[in-house]
Amino acid sequence: MQKTGAQILVDSLLAEGVDTIFGYPGGVVLPIYDVLYDSEIRHILTRHEQGAAHAADGYARASGKPGVCLATSGPGATNLVTGIANAYMDSVPMVAITGQVATSLLGRDSFQEADITGITLPITKHNFLVKDPKDIARTVREAFYIATSGRPGPVLIDMPKDVSSGVAEHIEPGPVQLPGYVAKKEPDPEQVARAVRAIEEAERPVIYAGGGVVSGGAHGELLELSEMLLIPVATTLMGLGGFPGNHPLSVGMLGMHGSKYANYAVNECDLLIGVGVRFDDRVTSKLEEFAPGATIMHIDIDPAEIGKNVDVDIPVVGDVRLALRQIIKRLKPRLASRWRDKIAIWKKEHPFGFEENGRIKPQQVIQEICNVTKGNARITTEVGQHQMWAAQYYTFTRPRTFISSGGLGTMGFGFPAAIGVQVACPDETVIDIAGDGSIQMNIQELATAVHYKLPVKIAIMNNGFLGMVRQWQELFYNRRYSYTELENPDFVKLAEAYGAVGIRVSKKSEVRPALEEAMAVEKPVVIDFPIEREENVYPMVPPGEPIHKMLG
Amino acid sequence: MRHTLAVLVENNPGVLARVAGLFSRRGFNIDSLAVGRTENPDVSRMTIVVDGDDRVLEQVTKQLHKLVDVIKINDITVDEYVDRELVLIKVNADPAQRGEVMQIADVFRARIVDLGRRTLTLECTGNEGKINAFEESLRPYGIKELVRTGKIAMVRGSKYTGYHDNGTKEEN
């Protein structure tokens, strides 16, 4: 059957099970928008393309389905770039569709032309420039396959206007045939056997679990492995929720702002079992002294991660869920070890803590958010001190409940991501824990939340500073606060101007009532918490130090 | 250590940019890269000479494998292989010196492909060592212009690293 390219595109998206697109219209995507007008796909109009990309990202992380965003050529496409890079760094399945000038105008610096496939080469898993409407259906099939299989990631499809408005036969693509793309799943039995031996022989093993556990749906297997041999589990920022934070074997987050006991455990372990992790520098700090006495095991679906940053003694390449399953199958359970007792003592001796002084402490606000929501909310964060406090003081017990920009550290991510999360999970409480700096990077999306009646709550930890930068200036630049103090708008009035609800908290006793009030409102709510201005995030591994040498 | 990689890629637009961009942004050092299509018009072959220790080479190979357009990679460094490079050299050659230059050409089995009033342009093929020696021999006369293709290579004997029908990537 003959159809326009735009029609083929939308039909192909439906065939992939797409129900929601986050996007922003413009000249060369008009043919696509015209088809969307009658389509059953829900289109969420954000107020900035970056918001669309982050919303698609949040949608994907919460639902496990690929997120889809759509933008016009040129500035529309380049505005997606930060969101795409963010998804790439955190391995989030995403399909970004951009309009492009007509093929006859390509390469002439035409109006609103940008070489977006060239620009996104290093930040996509793959990208396509479609030059003929008959290629659209196959391209969409391949894009979704690449985005969601193996190590997930963003894929971009660039659609020139004459391709989306051109006409072609809609030929259903058959099974994907990509000779150069292998998504290896089954781990090698010999690697599994070596892993089993190493785990059985270890006296002081520690699991270091990352985002791969969450995206690979391996949380059940992780729990089973840990409980079977009483192995303590540390998670990365991306891994939070992949192991229940309230479990006796949980040692919380490790790395720069991890718990002391997690870092001590990693420092003294004899076997470090990395599961779906990438040995990021925020975790390892000084590489040469990371887990110095340990045999390193690394379970990951991406072979290129093995040995990228650290030398791995025991690699297991494959889907983490399958790999853990096979390891568990061959292991014999073991009784309590002295190692676990040692960690329990560290946990008791070095708990997270902050000084109470009658003023509003951010850590206390986060604890209250956890209490009020009973730990059941979906939490997104922006990037900075509040992000680390959220990771430290909220107890995450389920996967896909902590959604944060890990690898790229994108300020402005949390709120649009929360919009995507709320779209994916309409019946759940979604809270963006924000800083006063970060929230202003995409605050225009308040209009989106209000328009689509998405009752996202934004809790602003307002200290009038770019807090994390200020903390570094305090510690390493002799308190010279160069351009980190912010003069902020009245966030309550701002919320109200957008048609949202604004709540101002002025003293400690108001924290809990304000949160309860916010939860009771079926609207987007901004809560402004004026927190202690120069509070720091501790513990902290200073840059260049090994992880057991922490400040605070 | 220098390694020679035989890389089969899909003959798609932009594939060279994908490969070259990967090298530059990951900080890998390319010594030479030669590309052209194979017996199968949908498949191109790149011969990449890269400098680095085993660790670097392992990362290069793994990162290349991640590119969707890369079908197969073989590190043929330790294999017996035939390699060739083509060079064109335009060298100063006054009528008085022509004889000498032509003698050098003879020694290296190079060919004279163009003749100017005061220059000769020579073509020579061979492995890297031979091309280097040829270049050095002509240097005293004054090289006006020089262009090398970069190395292409093929494993000797019945072993081959071309495109197989099974369509899978193979690690070596």
Side-chain angles (χ1 to χ4, degrees):
Chain A
M1 198 182 132
Q2 295 275 323
K3 290 179 190 171
T4 64
Q7 189 70 57
I8 296 173
L9 173 70
V10 172
D11 289 350
S12 304
L13 292 173
L14 281 166
E16 296 297 329
V18 173
D19 52 25
T20 309
I21 291 178
F22 302 89
Y24 203 99
V28 298
V29 283
L30 285 174
I32 301 169
Y33 271 85
D34 195 56
V35 175
L36 282 175
Y37 196 57
D38 303 316
S39 160
E40 55 200 85
I41 293 178
R42 183 184 192 194
H43 178 276
I44 306 279
L45 172 68
T46 56
R47 294 309 189 262
H48 188 296
E49 289 88 349
Q50 189 188 347
H54 290 325
D57 182 323
Y59 175 93
R61 292 193 209 213
S63 68
K65 289 163 61 181
V68 182
C69 55
L70 169 62
T72 195
S73 64
T78 55
N79 278 347
L80 288 180
V81 166
T82 302
I84 294 170
N86 188 77
Y88 183 72
M89 289 289 273
D90 286 347
S91 307
V92 176
M94 178 192 283
V95 174
I97 301 161
T98 48
Q100 182 54 275
V101 301
T103 46
S104 58
L105 295 171
L106 272 173
R108 299 169 186 242
D109 302 324
S110 309
F111 177 66
Q112 293 195 325
E113 181 188 0
D115 171 18
I116 197 65
T117 45
I119 290 169
T120 58
L121 221 52
I123 54 161
T124 48
K125 193 171 167 189
H126 193 59
N127 61 24
F128 298 91
L129 169 63
V130 187
K131 286 197 166 160
D132 191 318
K134 73 174 169 27
D135 296 333
I136 294 172
R138 186 180 47 82
T139 305
V140 170
R141 171 68 46 90
E142 288 177 359
F144 276 82
Y145 179 71
I146 294 168
T148 55
S149 59
R151 178 182 183 167
V155 176
L156 181 135
I157 305 174
D158 201 22
M159 291 269 292
K161 188 174 184 184
D162 55 323
V163 174
S164 54
S165 59
V167 173
E169 189 73 18
H170 184 172
I171 304 158
E172 287 298 327
V176 173
Q177 285 192 324
L178 293 163
Y181 180 75
V182 205
K184 183 179 155 108
K185 290 194 86 169
E186 282 290 336
D188 177 60
E190 215 156 290
Q191 292 187 333
V192 171
R194 279 186 69 201
V196 168
R197 264 201 311 282
I199 296 171
E200 279 173 346
E201 282 164 15
E203 280 172 23
R204 300 184 309 280
V206 168
I207 295 172
Y208 148 41
V213 169
V214 176
S215 66
H219 47 281
E221 284 74 11
L222 177 63
L223 184 65
E224 201 178 332
L225 173 64
S226 160
E227 286 184 337
M228 229 173 132
L229 299 180
L230 303 170
I231 307 174
V233 177
T235 75
T236 66
L237 182 77
M238 292 291 297
L240 286 172
F243 190 79
N246 54 359
H247 194 283
L249 287 164
S250 166
V251 290
M253 187 168 76
L254 81 166
M256 182 174 275
H257 292 296
S259 68
K260 287 197 173 174
Y261 35 94
N263 287 350
Y264 289 153
V266 170
N267 188 56
E268 294 199 15
C269 69
D270 65 352
L271 174 68
L272 185 71
I273 309 169
V275 188
V277 293
R278 56 190 181 88
F279 294 85
D280 177 74
D281 57 278
R282 277 293 182 275
V283 164
T284 62
S285 198
K286 190 177 186 183
L287 261 180
E288 312 84 80
E289 290 184 46
F290 179 68
T295 300
I296 309 270
M297 183 187 302
H298 191 179
I299 307 174
D300 206 285
I301 197 160
D302 181 357
E305 283 305 326
I306 310 285
K308 185 184 77 178
N309 293 336
V310 298
D311 289 327
V312 172
D313 304 296
I314 302 167
V316 182
V317 178
D319 177 84
V320 287
R321 189 157 169 264
L322 291 178
L324 289 180
R325 192 101 314 283
Q326 297 195 9
I327 289 170
I328 289 164
K329 226 165 42 190
R330 300 188 197 184
L331 276 174
K332 289 176 207 70
R334 192 164 59 187
L335 290 174
S337 66
R338 282 165 54 201
W339 173 232
R340 189 189 55 154
D341 299 339
K342 187 167 185 184
I343 286 171
I345 294 167
W346 278 332
K347 269 175 104 164
K348 205 166 279 174
E349 283 177 352
H350 306 282
F352 280 112
F354 56 95
E355 208 178 300
E356 302 237 30
N357 59 5
R359 290 195 283 271
I360 301 174
K361 291 286 188 164
Q363 301 92 332
Q364 174 220 354
V365 177
I366 308 262
Q367 281 175 339
E368 282 295 3
I369 293 175
C370 192
N371 294 337
V372 169
T373 60
K374 302 186 176 65
N376 276 326
R378 303 260 182 176
I379 303 292
T380 70
T381 77
E382 308 288 340
V383 167
Q385 288 183 313
H386 63 276
Q387 178 189 30
M388 293 300 125
W389 286 317
Q392 294 174 336
Y393 288 90
Y394 191 103
T395 307
F396 296 94
T397 55
R398 291 181 300 140
R400 302 189 183 279
T401 54
F402 179 69
I403 287 161
S404 188
S405 170
L408 196 64
T410 311
M411 289 174 74
F413 168 77
F415 178 39
I419 288 176
V421 174
Q422 188 78 77
V423 169
C425 312
D427 303 324
E428 295 186 50
T429 303
V430 180
I431 304 171
D432 174 36
I433 295 176
D436 48 326
S438 282
I439 192 62
Q440 293 185 71
M441 284 210 172
N442 274 317
I443 201 156
Q444 75 287 348
E445 300 306 333
L446 269 170
T448 310
V450 169
H451 177 103
Y452 293 99
K453 300 190 167 54
L454 300 166
V456 171
K457 318 298 177 208
I458 305 170
I460 303 177
M461 306 297 121
N462 187 347
N463 54 12
F465 273 117
L466 297 174
M468 190 59 96
V469 188
R470 186 210 58 75
Q471 176 169 338
W472 281 57
Q473 288 172 333
E474 176 189 328
L475 297 174
F476 312 118
Y477 293 87
N478 204 20
R479 285 183 187 262
R480 287 157 50 84
Y481 294 161
S482 180
Y483 304 103
T484 41
E485 193 165 3
L486 297 174
E487 195 166 315
N488 287 323
D490 181 329
F491 288 114
V492 171
K493 279 190 185 163
L494 189 66
E496 286 165 355
Y498 274 108
V501 175
I503 302 175
R504 189 182 337 273
V505 172
S506 49
K507 51 181 190 287
K508 206 174 154 179
S509 61
E510 292 170 5
V511 170
R512 186 163 179 126
L515 286 167
E516 283 167 348
E517 184 189 341
M519 299 308 151
V521 184
E522 270 295 299
K523 278 177 131 184
V525 181
V526 176
I527 325 167
D528 184 11
F529 293 100
I531 57 163
E532 176 91 71
R533 293 204 73 201
E534 299 191 35
E535 188 74 14
N536 285 340
V537 181
Y538 288 127
M540 178 182 188
V541 180
E545 291 287 338
I547 61 170
H548 63 283
K549 291 190 177 154
M550 289 162 275
L551 303 175
Chain B
M1 178 182 168
R2 290 171 77 197
H3 288 255
T4 302
L5 305 180
V7 182
L8 290 176
V9 299
E10 291 208 55
N11 196 3
N12 287 335
V15 64
L16 179 59
R18 284 180 202 280
V19 171
L22 176 83
F23 275 79
S24 65
R25 76 173 175 276
R26 295 263 176 201
F28 304 138
N29 205 4
I30 305 186
D31 269 8
S32 92
L33 193 163
V35 55
R37 69 165 188 77
T38 62
E39 72 282 4
N40 177 347
D42 295 334
V43 176
S44 292
R45 172 147 159 168
M46 297 183 180
T47 306
I48 304 176
V49 182
V50 58
D51 197 15
D53 57 21
D54 290 350
R55 214 194 144 103
V56 169
L57 248 291
E58 186 183 322
Q59 264 301 305
V60 167
T61 311
K62 286 174 167 177
Q63 294 293 344
L64 277 175
H65 263 297
K66 283 176 73 167
L67 296 178
V68 172
D69 287 333
V70 171
I71 301 167
K72 195 173 156 189
I73 303 161
N74 278 288
D75 184 348
I76 60 171
T77 313
V78 295
D79 287 298
E80 283 283 315
Y81 63 83
V82 187
D83 66 311
R84 287 289 181 274
E85 195 174 354
L86 171 67
V87 66
L88 290 173
I89 301 180
K90 190 176 287 177
V91 66
N92 281 330
D94 284 331
Q97 293 171 318
R98 269 195 190 160
E100 288 177 40
V101 172
M102 287 161 93
Q103 271 178 3
I104 292 170
D106 245 7
V107 170
F108 286 93
R109 279 181 238 152
R111 287 170 51 199
I112 292 155
V113 291
D114 190 41
L115 199 67
R117 279 202 326 163
R118 311 191 104 111
T119 60
L120 280 176
T121 302
L122 302 112
E123 155 198 313
C124 185
T125 58
N127 65 21
E128 195 189 358
K130 177 181 164 188
I131 302 295
N132 286 347
F134 182 55
E135 187 183 324
E136 284 314 308
S137 317
L138 292 175
R139 197 171 290 286
Y141 300 92
I143 295 172
K144 306 287 284 180
E145 200 176 345
L146 181 149
V147 55
R148 294 171 71 150
T149 56
K151 169 168 156 179
I152 57 169
M154 194 177 276
V155 175
R156 283 185 190 275
S158 55
K159 186 179 169 189
Y160 58 107
T161 55
Y163 183 65
H164 300 267
D165 291 334
N166 62 15
T168 55
K169 288 188 185 189
E170 287 171 18
E171 302 247 19
N172 39 282

